[in-house]
Amino acid sequence: KQNGDYADRPATLAIDGSPTIVTGQSIGSGGCAATINSTNPWLQIDLKAVYLVSRVRAIIYSTFGENVKVHVGNNVTNNGLNNRDCGISPYDDSTHTRAIWRDVSCSPPVWGKY
């Protein structure tokens, strides 16, 4: 789930396995989840089981200059923000308006479902 769907881009598109978005290009239409424009947008992924997470990797498209912050754990309260802060992938202005791979390492790795 996410804080609000932008157009026809629900959170389910974040984990659908679709390679529609090509990194380094404009987002175009469809193919990925997108949140509504808000001060603190968020996306919560349910892994369906508990895993030891050492890295989160996602294609992120940002026009607003946000950092990507990752929390991992088993708590859904407060949209998962009560889970351990795994790390942050800082915004890079040179990637403005392009879809790029963003990595966040969890060191040490943390067990979690969300």
Side-chain angles (χ1 to χ4, degrees):
K1 62 184 183 173
Q2 58 193 17
N3 67 311
D5 297 343
Y6 175 79
D8 59 347
R9 298 179 184 172
T12 53
L13 291 175
I15 56 170
D16 68 350
S18 171
T20 303
I21 299 302
V22 178
T23 57
Q25 295 184 3
S26 173
I27 199 166
S29 62
C32 67
T35 63
I36 58 172
N37 185 8
S38 66
T39 304
N40 294 302
W42 57 268
L43 172 72
Q44 182 181 79
I45 304 293
D46 182 349
L47 299 174
K48 306 293 184 193
V50 176
Y51 293 93
L52 183 60
V53 178
S54 60
R55 178 177 75 162
V56 174
R57 186 171 213 219
I59 296 175
I60 304 292
Y61 175 85
S62 175
T63 58
F64 304 110
E66 301 96 353
N67 295 323
V68 174
K69 188 172 187 180
V70 174
H71 295 265
V72 176
N74 296 309
N75 192 333
V76 294
T77 305
N78 193 26
N79 304 314
L81 292 175
N82 296 341
N83 290 325
R84 186 173 137 220
D85 184 352
C86 221
I88 193 165
S89 176
Y91 177 73
D92 178 354
D93 193 49
S94 68
T95 63
H96 181 70
T97 70
R98 292 191 320 230
I100 62 161
W101 282 108
R102 302 280 294 270
D103 291 296
V104 174
S105 295
C106 302
S107 182
V110 61
W111 290 96
K113 180 179 175 187
Y114 304 98

